[in-house]
Amino acid sequence: SKPPIEKKPFDGKISAKSVKNLTEGQVAVRILKTLGSHLWPSKETSPKHSSLKRRVVLSLSLLIGSKLLTIQVPFIFKSLVDDLNGIEMISQNDPMSAIPILTV
């Protein structure tokens, strides 16, 4: 049986002592809070915080979009190759259908 975990206010610092009695999930949340405080600007840190927040949102959305596009590229190539395979089948069955394809 473990002793009860003390609930202290989060000071933004992560050390071996502060995470000793925490679960893995609690440590992950603490890390995300620390990173989030550096990523998302507050009014105190920047007088133009609204434009900075727009840039953070834009950059994160572009990052997520690039990851999604990276995942989609193999599926797009598969579709293109499958479509080319269909064109080959037409040209093999009917030699006259190959003439317009070869002129391109």
Side-chain angles (χ1 to χ4, degrees):
S1 77
K2 295 181 181 177
I5 297 173
E6 293 180 32
K7 295 210 175 195
K8 298 177 185 175
F10 180 62
D11 60 358
K13 296 179 182 174
I14 299 174
S15 66
K17 278 186 177 180
S18 66
V19 297
K20 188 175 180 182
N21 294 327
L22 299 178
T23 65
E24 191 173 322
Q26 290 171 328
V27 172
V29 168
R30 191 174 269 199
I31 290 170
L32 288 175
K33 282 182 181 181
T34 303
L35 291 175
S37 68
H38 294 290
L39 181 67
W40 196 251
S42 64
K43 290 181 183 178
E44 295 84 29
T45 58
S46 173
K48 294 183 177 182
H49 68 282
S50 61
S51 67
L52 192 57
K53 285 183 180 183
R54 279 195 297 265
R55 284 190 282 172
V56 168
V57 168
L58 176 66
S59 62
L60 286 176
S61 61
L62 288 174
L63 178 70
I64 291 169
S66 70
K67 296 297 180 186
L68 292 174
L69 185 63
T70 302
I71 292 170
Q72 289 292 55
V73 165
F75 296 108
I76 293 169
F77 284 157
K78 178 195 175 295
S79 175
L80 291 173
V81 169
D82 288 346
D83 290 344
L84 286 175
N85 192 20
I87 291 172
E88 287 178 17
M89 293 302 289
I90 292 171
S91 66
Q92 287 176 356
N93 293 336
D94 183 18
M96 294 305 287
S97 65
I99 294 171
I101 294 171
L102 293 175
T103 58
V104 175

